[in-house]
Structures are given as structure tokens and as C-alpha cells.
Amino acid sequence: MSEDVLKIGAHTFRSRLFVGTGKYRDMDETRAALAASGAEVVTVAVRRVDLGAQGGESLIGHLLEKEYVILPNTAGCYTADDAVRTAKLAREMLETDLVKLEVLGDERTLFPDVPATLEAAEALVKAGFTVLPYTSDDPITAKRLEELGCAAVMPLAAPIGSGLGIRNPYNIEIILQHAGVPVIVDAGVGTASDAAVAMELGVDGVLMNTAIAGAKDPVRMAGAMRKAVEAGRDA
């Protein structure tokens, strides 16, 4: 398994668990959970974090010190223009071409605005970004995003923060059958068994935040998710 790596654009990763940085009680818990997860890629909401605070006890400073790959995300954006501006700010501040594209269509469910996501994805690809778009589990949308030049597609398993697990495994399987880029399940994973099931379907990775940060023991849950992703991949 030493050569079993995940390639996204020009980037290569060994861990297939991507984790978020929100909702932890404090920085100590954040540090410990990230370490326990074994993740290389850590996503940060550009609109909620001071990207300029890169020293001392800051989140960005810690991520840079520990050499995590920072994946900026455009969470909180509701138009294509806002998402593109936010991504460009992140690239300027963090000197990365990576972006997790989120264009939301509804404040309550946090479902993606698919037409706006396609519009923003096209603009960001043309601007030289390595785009990983959060999208619905619709196979047609996933294929359109790939055709626009996205380096991966990130279909939701269930609504963000719901912890409901994979609600429609058949759609994920169809996406996988037609995808020529990595498929990373994003949103809805609730516990370790959900992560294992996702990997057993054949996805290339799983991204989560609430499932770990919202657990009674986030550090222990981070370790469980690490093992689940590895076991699901092997299985």
C-alpha cells in the first residue's frame, strides 16, 4: 500500500481523510484532533479565519508550522462572484492554487447552488486554480464540473453537519463509474462506519468536520475516522 497515493492536480497525498478546523472548543483540542486524524489536508473557511494571523497561537500559524496542506474553502458564499473573490484572496494570502469551492443556495440546509457552482468553477479553473467543488450527489453535475476542468468532485453524502451518513449510495456509485478525476465525499458523515462505507464504495477520500469536532471526545473520534478510512480503503 506504500504506493497507494491520492493525486489531485499536481498534488499528491497519502492520507485520504481531509478534515475541517471549525467547531472545536479551543486551539488545544484543534491541534490534538488534527494530529490524531493523520490528515495531510486541512480545510479552512476563508471568510471565518484571519489569514494574516500566521504566528503564535493562530490557527494558520499552527497549520503552517506543522506543514499541513491548507485547503482554503469558500464557505459562506452565496454567489459565484463572492466565491471567486474569496478564492483569489486565499491564493494571495496563502500562496496556494488549491480551493474547495462552495457556493451555497440555502442558509438552512446549506445545499449547493449548482448553477452558481458551475459558473464559479469555470472562472476559477480559467484563473489557474486547482478546484475541488462541493456539489450535490447528481452524476450529471459531477460530470459537468469535471468537464470544466475541476481537479476533483466532492458530492455530499447528506446535508452539511447532519451526520446522516450516505443517503444515496447509488448516485455516488454512478458518479464513480463516470468520473475521470478523484471523487471525495464531502458532508454528512456522522461516524466511523459512514466513513468506511464511503471508502468501500470506491471513493478516493472523505472530508469531514462536524463528525469529529462535534463528538464527545473529538481526539478519540479523529483517531477512529483515520482507522475507518484506512480500513474502508483496504476493504
Side-chain angles (χ1 to χ4, degrees):
M1 298 296 292
S2 61
E3 296 304 313
D4 183 30
V5 296
L6 172 57
K7 295 182 179 179
I8 299 177
H11 305 269
T12 301
F13 310 110
R14 295 193 177 278
S15 173
R16 293 171 182 270
L17 175 59
F18 293 21
V19 295
T21 53
K23 304 182 181 180
Y24 290 101
R25 284 185 283 268
D26 52 41
M27 270 301 299
D28 287 340
E29 185 176 81
T30 304
R31 292 190 193 95
L34 295 183
S37 74
E40 296 170 74
V41 180
V42 177
T43 185
V44 174
V46 177
R47 294 166 68 96
R48 299 169 187 159
V49 172
D50 182 0
L51 300 182
Q54 298 186 7
E57 294 297 303
S58 72
L59 173 62
I60 298 298
H62 173 71
L63 298 180
L64 293 172
E65 178 187 350
K66 297 299 182 180
E67 298 185 346
Y68 288 105
V69 175
I70 300 176
L71 174 60
N73 72 62
T74 62
C77 293
Y78 288 85
T79 69
D81 286 345
D82 277 350
V84 170
R85 280 195 297 270
T86 300
K88 289 181 176 179
L89 171 64
R91 180 166 65 179
E92 180 178 343
M93 297 295 292
L94 298 175
E95 299 181 352
T96 180
D97 66 309
L98 290 165
V99 62
K100 177 179 181 259
L101 173 62
E102 293 186 31
V103 188
L104 303 176
D106 178 72
E107 292 185 12
R108 183 177 63 85
T109 64
L110 303 180
F111 279 125
D113 182 326
V114 170
T117 298
L118 291 165
E119 179 185 346
E122 183 174 17
L124 289 171
V125 168
K126 287 180 178 177
F129 284 86
T130 299
V131 183
L132 291 75
Y134 160 70
T135 183
S136 64
D137 61 358
D138 171 40
I140 303 304
T141 300
K143 197 61 185 176
R144 293 267 171 83
L145 288 164
E146 179 182 341
E147 290 169 350
L148 288 173
C150 292
V153 291
M154 305 183 74
L156 55 81
I160 289 175
S162 68
L164 292 172
I166 298 177
R167 294 291 85 194
N168 197 339
Y170 306 106
N171 276 22
I172 301 296
E173 289 178 345
I174 295 170
I175 291 172
L176 287 165
Q177 289 167 9
H178 295 91
V181 296
V183 177
I184 300 170
V185 162
D186 178 16
V189 170
T191 189
S193 56
D194 298 329
V197 167
M199 296 304 296
E200 287 175 5
L201 286 173
V203 302
D204 297 278
V206 178
L207 188 149
M208 65 185 73
N209 185 189
T210 305
I212 296 175
K216 291 180 180 178
D217 185 339
V219 178
R220 190 172 182 182
M221 181 63 93
M225 291 299 188
R226 176 180 186 170
K227 295 169 188 172
V229 168
E230 291 173 354
R233 176 68 177 173
D234 286 347

